[in-house]
């Protein structure tokens, strides 16, 4: 009968060898008990009551003795069929034989070593049992390990490792995806930030462009006045408008220069093609308006000069007509050459001559300084007329002294000079300022053409800008 009632297991835990007397290979029941407890724990059985101490060996520390093993003691460790012990025994031990006596000191050392070895093995087995008991208690529904479960442990461990590896891969993929999502989110946030900043920057540039266009609009107030006065120069108040434009046009040009500076600032950072085209057209509008200011200032000065000269000629012409009427009225006094009439005629002819001389002075001065006025025909007429008046005065003086011959001679000279004056009068225009207007028109023709081209260019650029603002409003 087996010691633990377990077939085939105890022989693997017991070490029975020959020639181990007094050594560490002696059979230790504590080792066997430990092996039995391990097997019971694996099968889930309750621990058994330990056997009492069985003295297999009789050792005497003070005197030597023969070690004998009885056949009945050995028979208690019978082996199963087909098994053999580590000593190679298959039958019960034979009758003990006497052994050679051992030295007392040698036996004592052997006993101490055997005791130490037994303690070490007992501690190792106890630690192993505690570890196995703890491992068994961790599994709530753990089943006792059988030979089949032990055999399937490597496969179960492999499957568990595969599951764990898949789980780690899922975690890694999730972490990778999360990282990618985070990177994309950060990239989108950064891109959105830069897009927002770029949008704000574009809005700033467009706002500067709007400021430039506002300056252009402010300049148009003066340019509209210029266009109107150039189109209708003879309207009432034209001279005052021209004088005002001589001051406002240079200021308008400064306004356009500010608009051009703002446009350059705003256009430098524009990215939208529509905004860029609007900036280009705004630049053309500013450039055209600056040209209008330059050519317009020339035209304003020329027109103002023409009007001033025309006004001077017209005033002189009115004085001339008055003097001529007075001369004709004074000539009627000679129809009745009484002393009184002759005295009145003498005073009258003197005033007429003075009036004609004043007109002659004005026209002579204007002819010397005028830009457009050509007073030569008028001066020729005035010369002939003054000559005739001088002869008329001499004839009156001759009549007063009753010198008829002299009076007739002066009368003939008067008639001749008056006829010459009449010829010059027929050559004079009905409107004395007409020659001035004609000269002004010829002189400013190239400037007017330049001004017209610049105004058309400004209008074309304005049409594009109006389309830009219409689309922006939509």
């Amino acid at each position: 009968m087996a010691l633990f009632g377990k077939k085939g297991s105890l022989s693997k835990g017991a070490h029975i060898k020959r020639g181990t007397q007094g050594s560490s290979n002696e059979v230790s029941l504590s080792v066997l008990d430990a092996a039995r407890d391990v097997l019971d724990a694996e099968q889930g059985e309750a621990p058994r009551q330990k056997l009492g101490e069985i003295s297999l060996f009789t050792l005497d520390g003070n005197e030597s003795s023969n070690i004998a093993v009885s056949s009945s003691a050995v028979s208690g460790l019978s082996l199963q069929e087909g098994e053999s012990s580590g000593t190679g025994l298959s039958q019960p031990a034979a009758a003990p034989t006497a052994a050679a006596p051992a030295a007392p000191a040698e036996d004592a050392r052997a006993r101490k070593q055997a005791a130490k070895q037994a303690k070490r093995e007992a501690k190792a087995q106890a630690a192993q049992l505690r570890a196995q008991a703890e491992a068994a208690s961790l599994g709530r529904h753990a089943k006792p390990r059988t030979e089949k479960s032990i055999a399937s442990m490597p496969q179960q461990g492999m499957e568990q490792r595969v599951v764990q590896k898949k789980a780690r891969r899922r975690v890694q993929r999730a972490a990778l995806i999360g990282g990618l999502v985070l990177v994309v989110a950060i990239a989108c946030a950064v891109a959105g930030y830069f897009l927002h900043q770029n949008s704000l920057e574009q809005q700033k540039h467009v706002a500067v462009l709007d400021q430039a266009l506002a300056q252009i609009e402010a300049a148009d107030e003066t340019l509209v006045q210029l266009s109107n006065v150039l189109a209708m120069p003879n309207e009432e108040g034209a001279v005052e408008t021209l004088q005002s434009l001589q001051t406002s046009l240079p200021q308008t040009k400064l306004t356009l220069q500010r608009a051009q500076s703002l446009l350059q600032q705003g256009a430098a950072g524009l990215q939208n093609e529509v905004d860029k085209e609007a900036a280009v057209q705004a630049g053309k509008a500013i450039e055209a308006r600056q040209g209008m200011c330059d050519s317009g200032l020339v035209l304003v000065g020329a027109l103002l000069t023409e009007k001033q000269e025309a006004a001077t000629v017209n005033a002189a012409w009115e004085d001339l007509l008055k003097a001529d009427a007075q001369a004709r009225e004074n000539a009627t006094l000679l129809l009745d050459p009484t002393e009184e009439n002759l005295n009145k005629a003498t005073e009258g002819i003197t005033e007429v001559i003075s009036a004609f001389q004043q007109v002659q002075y004005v026209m002579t001065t204007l002819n010397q300084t005028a830009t457009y006025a050509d007073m030569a025909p008028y001066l020729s007429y005035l010369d002939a007329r003054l000559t005739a008046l001088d002869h008329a005065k001499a004839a009156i003086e001759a009549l007063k002294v009753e010198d008829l011959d002299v009076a007739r001679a002066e009368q003939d000279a008067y008639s001749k000079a008056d006829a010459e004056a009449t010829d010059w009068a027929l050559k004079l225009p009905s409107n004395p300022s007409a020659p001035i207007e004609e000269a002004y028109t010829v002189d400013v023709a190239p400037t007017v053409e330049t001004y017209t081209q610049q105004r058309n260019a400004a209008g074309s650029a304005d049409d594009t800008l109006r389309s830009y603002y219409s689309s922006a409003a939509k």
Side-chain angles (χ1 to χ4, degrees):
M1 180 179 178
L3 182 60
F4 300 121
K6 177 71 176 179
K7 184 178 180 179
S9 299
L10 184 60
S11 61
K12 296 179 181 180
H15 300 279
I16 304 173
K17 297 182 180 180
R18 291 188 180 93
T20 60
Q21 181 179 5
S23 67
S24 61
N25 288 327
E26 290 178 335
V27 176
S28 173
L29 288 180
S30 62
V31 175
L32 298 177
D33 291 339
R36 183 195 61 189
D37 293 340
V38 169
L39 294 176
D40 291 341
E42 291 178 350
Q43 295 178 2
E45 297 178 0
R48 302 182 186 184
Q49 183 68 30
K50 292 185 179 181
L51 297 176
E53 294 183 357
I54 302 175
S55 178
L56 297 180
F57 303 96
T58 302
L59 301 176
D60 189 356
N62 296 325
E63 49 183 291
S64 61
S65 62
N66 297 330
I67 300 176
V69 180
S70 65
S71 60
S72 61
V74 174
S75 63
L77 300 174
S78 62
L79 302 175
Q80 300 298 328
E81 294 179 1
E83 294 181 356
S84 61
S85 68
T87 61
L89 298 176
S90 61
Q91 299 294 333
T97 59
E106 204 175 297
D107 292 340
R109 282 195 302 271
R111 286 196 302 272
K112 289 180 180 181
Q113 291 177 356
K116 290 180 180 180
Q117 181 67 22
K119 288 181 180 181
R120 284 194 296 269
E121 292 177 354
K123 289 180 179 180
Q125 292 297 330
Q128 184 177 4
L129 288 174
R130 284 196 300 272
Q132 292 178 353
E134 291 176 358
S137 64
L138 291 176
R140 183 176 300 176
H141 303 289
K143 296 181 179 180
R145 294 184 180 179
T146 61
E147 292 182 359
K148 184 177 180 180
S149 65
I150 294 173
S152 63
M153 283 179 62
Q155 183 176 358
Q156 294 176 356
M158 180 64 71
E159 293 176 354
Q160 185 175 7
R161 285 194 297 272
V162 170
V163 172
Q164 291 176 352
K165 189 173 183 180
K166 289 182 178 179
R168 283 195 302 270
R169 288 180 178 176
R170 286 194 296 270
V171 172
Q172 290 174 354
R173 283 195 298 270
L176 180 60
I177 294 173
L180 290 175
V181 171
L182 180 60
V183 170
V184 171
I186 294 174
C188 292
V190 172
Y193 172 78
F194 281 108
L195 287 175
H196 178 65
Q197 293 298 319
N198 184 64
S199 178
L200 293 178
E201 192 68 20
Q202 289 300 301
Q203 292 178 5
K204 291 180 181 179
H205 290 298
V206 172
V208 175
L209 178 60
D210 291 339
Q211 294 177 10
L213 295 176
Q215 293 292 317
I216 296 175
E217 186 176 359
D220 284 345
E221 182 178 354
T222 301
L223 295 176
V224 168
Q225 289 182 349
L226 174 63
S227 297
N228 291 336
V229 75
L230 291 179
M232 296 177 290
N234 296 322
E235 290 292 322
E236 184 178 358
V239 174
E240 291 76 8
T241 302
L242 290 171
Q243 291 173 344
S244 174
L245 287 171
Q246 282 187 316
T247 303
S248 60
L249 280 175
Q251 296 176 351
T252 300
K253 191 171 182 180
L254 292 176
T255 301
L256 291 172
Q257 289 176 354
R258 288 193 295 270
Q260 191 172 36
S261 177
L262 290 171
L263 179 62
Q264 291 173 352
Q265 295 177 13
L270 292 176
Q271 296 180 354
N272 186 282
E273 294 299 327
V274 177
D275 295 336
K276 288 182 179 180
E277 180 61 24
V280 171
Q281 295 300 324
K284 292 181 179 179
I286 292 173
E287 184 178 356
R289 283 169 168 79
Q290 288 177 332
M292 289 175 65
C293 288
D294 293 335
S295 58
L297 193 60
V298 172
L299 293 176
V300 166
L303 183 57
L304 191 58
T305 299
E306 181 268 336
K307 287 197 166 294
Q308 290 172 348
E309 292 178 2
T312 302
V313 170
N314 288 332
W317 183 256
E318 290 295 328
D319 293 339
L320 186 148
L321 293 177
K322 290 179 181 179
D324 183 72
Q326 186 179 358
R328 295 182 185 280
E329 182 181 356
N330 191 67
T332 60
L333 294 173
L334 297 177
L335 296 176
D336 184 12
T338 61
E339 183 178 359
E340 182 181 359
N341 287 339
L342 290 175
N343 290 331
K344 289 181 179 180
T346 301
E347 293 177 0
I349 199 66
T350 302
E351 293 177 359
V352 169
I353 290 173
S354 177
F356 271 92
Q357 287 175 343
Q358 182 63 34
V359 172
Q360 185 183 39
Y361 172 78
V362 171
M363 289 190 172
T364 299
T365 303
L366 184 60
N367 192 53
Q368 293 173 353
T369 60
T371 303
Y372 306 112
D374 182 10
M375 296 291 100
Y378 295 93
L379 293 175
S380 298
Y381 167 76
L382 287 172
D383 288 340
R385 191 65 188 274
L386 284 171
T387 301
L389 290 174
D390 288 337
H391 290 295
K393 183 178 181 181
I396 293 172
E397 292 294 336
L399 290 174
K400 287 172 67 176
V401 296
E402 297 180 356
D403 189 349
L404 298 178
D405 293 335
V406 173
R408 290 190 189 95
E410 292 297 333
Q411 182 66 32
D412 294 339
Y414 167 80
S415 298
K416 183 179 179 180
D418 188 64
E420 184 180 355
T422 302
D423 292 339
W424 281 110
L426 294 174
K427 297 178 182 179
L428 295 176
S430 58
N431 181 6
S433 62
I436 298 175
E437 294 176 359
E438 292 175 2
Y440 162 79
T441 302
V442 173
D443 182 60
V444 300
T447 308
V448 171
E449 183 179 0
T450 301
Y451 172 82
T452 303
Q453 292 175 352
Q454 292 164 342
R455 185 180 61 184
N456 293 337
S460 178
D462 291 349
D463 291 340
T464 304
L465 290 175
R466 277 190 288 270
S467 300
Y468 167 74
Y469 274 106
S470 297
S471 61
K474 293 179 181 179

